[in-house]
Amino acid sequence: MQMGSNIAIRRAGATDANVLADIFEAARAGMTYLPKLHTEEETRVFIGGLPDRMEVWVAEADGRLVGFAAIHDGWLDHLYVYPEAQSTGIGSALLAKTKERRPDGFQFWAFQKNTGARRFYARHGCREVEWTGGEGNEEKEPDVRFEWSPA
């Protein structure tokens, strides 16, 4: 997918629920190291309900929702982009919005095997500060905690 420079970031609403779930499912489909723990319906209810529980921002490119970031307190809980829209500036725009909304800093987790995401976050000034064996996540997959703080 070729994205133009026409990326718009806006607050998610209830009508975005299905697309949020589509983006989440598509992005995680490539993470073949993750176990399937929930039915598609359970995932759709959980991800679709994010805007009711936290601050969710969506990225639109060429009139289509292509990614989202969910923020809660001092955490970036989710940042997902459709695989075909990755490496087009969508993730960077969502991370920039997160930094704008949490100018004092925030933290988040990524799976250790998600090397593409880890490189992306490092390029954007996020630091790896803690590595675990996966005890704290439901997938039981080794992860790494990142922090971003202003320079």
Side-chain angles (χ1 to χ4, degrees):
M1 168 183 285
Q2 182 72 19
M3 293 284 137
S5 59
N6 189 14
I7 299 170
I9 305 294
R10 66 166 173 82
R11 191 78 182 253
T15 60
D16 298 319
N18 282 331
V19 181
L20 295 177
D22 291 344
I23 293 166
F24 179 87
E25 289 281 355
R28 286 185 58 127
M31 298 179 196
T32 56
Y33 49 87
L34 295 179
K36 182 80 171 160
L37 298 175
H38 302 283
T39 66
E40 182 178 342
E41 181 58 29
E42 290 169 336
T43 298
R44 289 191 165 281
V45 168
F46 176 75
I47 296 297
L50 288 176
D52 294 333
R53 297 189 306 277
M54 57 187 68
E55 186 177 334
V56 179
W57 295 89
V58 294
E60 291 180 319
D62 303 322
R64 177 177 172 231
L65 247 58
V66 292
F68 73 92
I71 312 164
H72 184 258
D73 296 329
W75 288 87
L76 170 61
D77 283 4
H78 302 281
L79 194 158
Y80 288 100
V81 176
Y82 271 126
E84 65 271 17
Q86 293 175 2
S87 300
T88 64
I90 301 297
S92 297
L94 288 164
L95 192 58
K97 176 54 85 172
T98 303
K99 290 176 179 180
E100 173 190 309
R101 299 295 298 162
R102 298 296 185 272
D104 293 332
F106 56 91
Q107 52 191 330
F108 57 95
W109 292 96
F111 295 111
Q112 290 180 21
K113 290 180 182 175
N114 194 346
T115 56
R118 290 175 61 198
R119 283 191 306 270
F120 166 81
Y121 291 124
R123 280 194 313 271
H124 289 278
C126 302
R127 298 181 307 116
E128 294 183 356
V129 295
E130 179 186 2
W131 295 264
T132 80
E135 308 76 28
N137 64 60
E138 77 176 333
E139 294 88 353
K140 302 302 179 208
E141 181 64 33
D143 54 9
V144 57
R145 183 172 56 87
F146 281 82
E147 287 182 352
W148 176 82
S149 58

